[in-house]
Amino acid sequence: MSDRFDEIRRQIAENDERVIALVNRRLELVAELWQLKAELGLDVVDPDRERRLRERLASANAGPLSPGGVDRLVTALLELTKRELGA
């Protein structure tokens, strides 16, 4: 039982590290996109794009994360992105 417990915790830790790496990569890509938008004179925040993102991720969710959980996660991700990149 203890071996399985340790294995599950190891997998959770690895998954958490992947989440951090993916969020960091997302921030890099968004920073690049915002630079291009600035050069083109476009607003960095696009509410319609954010709405479509929510819809796409809600559709892609196979659970067990609830629809409300997806919405909260996307909200947190967008807020984090804006805070980290200064929007």
Side-chain angles (χ1 to χ4, degrees):
M1 181 69 127
S2 178
D3 289 342
R4 182 65 182 141
F5 188 86
D6 291 341
E7 175 61 19
I8 291 169
R9 281 197 164 167
R10 184 190 64 73
Q11 288 181 25
I12 290 170
E14 287 176 359
N15 201 46
D16 291 344
E17 290 170 11
R18 285 193 300 267
V19 168
I20 296 299
L22 289 169
V23 169
N24 279 318
R25 181 62 181 142
R26 186 182 197 282
L27 288 171
E28 292 167 353
L29 291 167
V30 171
E32 185 178 346
L33 178 66
W34 286 5
Q35 178 61 41
L36 290 171
K37 283 182 163 188
E39 291 170 9
L40 297 170
L42 301 172
D43 291 334
V44 294
V45 176
D46 181 346
D48 189 54
R49 175 77 176 142
E50 290 182 5
R51 179 191 54 76
R52 291 191 315 269
L53 172 67
R54 289 177 189 281
E55 290 172 357
R56 183 175 54 80
L57 293 179
S59 294
N61 179 37
L65 185 61
S66 69
V70 171
D71 190 62
R72 289 183 66 188
L73 180 61
V74 172
T75 297
L77 183 60
L78 292 172
E79 288 175 355
L80 175 70
T81 300
K82 291 169 188 172
R83 187 171 53 252
E84 289 291 314
L85 298 179

